[in-house]
Amino acid sequence: MRIVSEKTLDQFRGAGKCEWCGLRVRNREAAHIYARGMGSASRNDATINVVALCAVFSGGHDCHHESHQGREPTREDLLAIVANRE
């Protein structure tokens, strides 16, 4: 599947509430549950594959970086967020 949508990603960026820690922050990042190109050269920017997480210098906990380091939130945590949201 190849879905490339900056418009979709923009829904998960900027000021707002981190979907993991719940803090309102200045900067959220669109975090892919299944990474761009994971297993292929495709990119999946569908809302069911993206979560808004706080980022470095956002005033939050840097949840996006933590998820990439194998700490919480885990992929299973992110899938649960999407399941509740959708």
Side-chain angles (χ1 to χ4, degrees):
M1 177 186 314
R2 181 163 174 77
I3 301 172
V4 179
S5 175
E6 291 299 318
K7 183 177 178 181
T8 298
L9 293 179
D10 285 345
Q11 296 173 32
F12 299 92
R13 295 176 174 153
K17 186 175 176 183
C18 174
E19 290 188 86
W20 174 248
C21 71
L23 291 177
R24 295 198 69 74
V25 295
R26 294 181 303 275
N27 183 35
R28 297 174 306 158
E29 294 179 345
H32 290 80
I33 297 171
Y34 292 97
R36 296 175 178 178
M38 189 173 182
S40 71
S42 65
R43 179 173 149 183
N44 186 354
D45 292 343
T47 59
I48 60 171
N49 188 47
V50 181
V51 177
L53 297 179
C54 58
V56 68
F57 306 120
S58 67
H61 297 117
D62 199 10
C63 294
H64 193 184
H65 176 74
E66 293 294 312
S67 71
H68 283 287
Q69 298 303 311
R71 297 185 282 270
E72 289 185 338
T74 65
R75 178 173 289 138
E76 290 77 22
D77 295 328
L78 300 179
L79 288 169
I81 290 169
V82 169
N84 287 329
R85 184 182 71 210
E86 299 294 323

